Amino acid sequence: MSAQDVHGRVPEPSTPPQARILVVDDEHISRDNLALALARQGHDTVTASGGTEALGLLRESDFDMVLTDLMMEGMDGLALLREVKSRHPDVEVVVITGYPTVDTAVEAMRAGAYDYLAKPYRIDEARLLVHKALEKRRLKLEVARLREQLRERTLPVPMLGAAPCMVELKRTIAQVAPSDVTVLILGETGTGKEVAARMVHLFSRRSEARFLAINCGAFNEELLESELFGHEQGAFSGATRQKKGLFEAAEGGTLFLDEVGEMSLAMQVKLLRAVQERCIRRVGGTADIPVDVRLVAATNKDLKTEVETGRFRQDLYFRLNVLVLNMPPLVQRREDLPLLARYFAEKASRETERPAPGISDEVMEILGRYAFPGNVRELQNVIERAVVFCNGDEIRPAHLSPELREVSMHVSRAGDRQPMTLEECEREQIRWTLEHAADNRTLAAKLLGIDRASLWRKIKRHGL
């Protein structure tokens, strides 16, 4: 089980990572000796006399690792192991047993143990095993962190915003995403409905699987049916081979149906069947194909009105209208304008490989008075255009589109209320996010669309 040198000694691990370790044993001498030996290596050790006490400690505090004796009164080591892996899957567990058998080892491994330690054991052998288990945990967390960063990059625009309506929206997404129910996102064009859908996927148990999106208004009925459900070879002219649809391609993941209100009534019937039965039938096929997909739908239409006028099926509406997210228009979150404008300026500058320009107070005042009928998407287009035309180190009114320059003619020099500065807006956004994430910095970083290290630096800079 452990590597030994030519003299039979177990080599000391090189500088073990400091960790919080729970040692569980109903025999206090063995328990205390092991805890003391690990504490001497710099680990923070806590002891428990049984499985029930251990679970209580795990509920109250975070641990990196659990070492548990197998044979204990009440809850034995295997039962504790199963509970730990069920409730705290990232915690590594080593089972200690005085009755090592193949069956015991296999059962412990199947239940999720990192390894088992046979009594009597040498302290240096236990230390090495702990070191290896903690190294495995560190690598797993690092891989998860890198995957998280890759997923964040799939967001076309991070869900930025410190306005109360945005903070509440992000809190709601974090709350509903882990469930598997259908989500309906309502909002005007350009408010970021797909960004919200991707966040639902990111925070769900399906985040490791695919997120696929389709604009239902971009296809006619025949093409949309083929895109969603696939087709068999020869199903129609040009179908030279079998093709899987998005329902099958998104298996285990999330399927985002944008502008679902644009579907024809006939197509709505077919979608309703897929939602109800959890199975689809390819165009030209006869076999029912089970699918495991979480649906997120979005529309800029008032579906209640569409139902009343007969343009949208009531039964499909009820199937989609399980959890509703309302995307606020930009006019309802004007305090987010400086942050969004700065983000889009920096993004456009990176893409054009030029230094990011600043944004003048005059421009921010113009943006604050503009209605932005195209919402965040229009703001992005405005800033990208301005970056292209900006030859200096600051975006000025002359770099804006003619429509926005027209607005500038009506801006009084006195002004009403000065818009928040970028620094003030960022500080307020972080404060709100931390508050609604219950000071969970990992969750707050996800909601802000940044990594945890960046959040820590911003918290320190703003004195939060």
Side-chain angles (χ1 to χ4, degrees), residues 265-286:
L265 287 170
M267 192 63 216
Q268 290 175 34
V269 173
K270 295 168 184 176
L271 175 61
L272 176 64
R273 179 180 182 274
V275 175
Q276 288 183 156
E277 305 298 330
R278 295 291 178 181
C279 67
I280 56 99
R281 188 176 297 171
R282 296 185 189 131
V283 177
T286 57

Side-chain angles (χ1 to χ4, degrees), residues 191-449:
T191 50
K193 294 189 289 292
E194 183 171 345
V195 176
R198 288 181 180 272
M199 285 194 71
V200 170
H201 175 72
L202 174 65
F203 292 162
S204 75
R205 65 178 181 85
R206 298 173 178 269
S207 59
E208 296 294 331
R210 301 180 72 182
F211 173 93
L212 295 179
I214 184 171
N215 187 325
C216 300
F219 299 89
N220 62 33
E221 184 179 320
E222 291 75 17
L223 286 177
L224 182 58
E225 182 179 9
S226 177
E227 287 295 312
L228 288 177
F229 306 129
H231 61 251
E232 300 290 354
Q233 182 178 357
F236 49 81
S237 177
T240 57
R241 60 182 178 84
Q242 183 192 77
K243 174 191 172 184
K244 289 184 177 181
L246 293 179
F247 267 94
E248 288 183 82
E251 178 69 18
T254 303
L255 179 58
F256 175 51
L257 304 178
D258 197 9
E259 302 307 341
V260 71
E262 301 295 333
M263 276 188 178
S264 68
L265 287 170
M267 192 63 216
Q268 290 175 34
V269 173
K270 295 168 184 176
L271 175 61
L272 176 64
R273 179 180 182 274
V275 175
Q276 288 183 156
E277 305 298 330
R278 295 291 178 181
C279 67
I280 56 99
R281 188 176 297 171
R282 296 185 189 131
V283 177
T286 57
D288 287 335
I289 303 169
V291 289
D292 175 23
V293 174
R294 194 219 188 127
L295 279 183
V296 179
T299 182
N300 60 6
K301 292 187 174 182
D302 183 344
L303 287 189
K304 286 184 178 179
T305 301
E306 295 294 296
V307 169
E308 291 170 359
T309 57
R311 291 190 294 267
F312 201 86
R313 293 183 60 93
Q314 186 179 54
D315 45 7
L316 178 58
Y317 171 69
F318 288 141
R319 285 286 180 178
L320 298 180
N321 189 42
V322 180
L323 285 173
V324 178
L325 300 176
N326 289 287
M327 303 298 297
L330 192 53
V331 293
Q332 292 181 8
R333 42 180 299 222
R334 288 191 182 276
E335 57 262 63
D336 290 336
L337 274 170
L339 184 65
L340 290 167
R342 181 73 257 165
Y343 171 81
F344 290 133
E346 292 177 354
K347 182 174 182 290
S349 299
R350 286 195 301 270
E351 293 171 352
T352 55
E353 298 183 347
R354 59 199 303 180
I359 302 175
S360 70
D361 291 341
E362 294 91 341
V363 168
M364 284 310 309
E365 192 170 1
I366 292 169
L367 297 179
R369 291 174 178 258
Y370 183 58
F372 281 106
N375 293 293
V376 177
R377 187 181 302 155
E378 184 180 8
L379 173 63
Q380 180 176 3
N381 294 338
V382 165
I383 297 299
E384 287 177 350
R385 180 191 188 280
V387 169
V388 170
F389 284 96
C390 180
N391 298 318
D393 58 1
E394 187 177 63
I395 296 175
R396 303 198 61 78
H399 305 134
L400 299 176
S401 64
E403 294 85 359
L404 282 167
R405 287 204 299 271
E406 183 74 18
V407 172
S408 69
M409 297 175 61
H410 303 286
V411 175
S412 64
R413 288 291 179 184
D416 301 326
R417 178 182 58 86
Q418 290 297 319
M420 294 173 69
T421 66
L422 176 62
E423 285 292 301
E424 289 171 341
C425 189
E426 184 178 71
R427 185 182 189 281
E428 186 65 9
Q429 177 190 15
I430 293 172
R431 187 187 69 77
W432 269 95
T433 305
L434 285 170
E435 180 180 333
H436 286 265
D439 213 35
N440 183 325
R441 295 189 177 186
T442 300
L443 176 58
K446 288 180 180 179
L447 293 173
L448 290 164

Side-chain angles (χ1 to χ4, degrees), residues 1-5 8-13 16 34 37-38 41 43 65 67 94-97 100 114-134:
M1 179 178 63
S2 57
Q4 298 181 352
D5 63 18
R9 295 189 301 267
V10 178
E12 282 287 329
L34 179 55
L38 295 175
Q41 279 200 310
H43 297 300
M65 186 175 180
L67 289 97
V94 169
V95 174
I96 304 171
T97 175
Y114 171 76
D115 209 333
Y116 73 96
L117 190 62
K119 294 180 180 179
Y121 57 83
R122 295 191 299 276
I123 288 298
D124 56 354
E125 187 178 20
R127 286 173 174 167
L128 181 60
L129 187 57
V130 167
H131 174 80
K132 289 180 176 179
L134 291 174

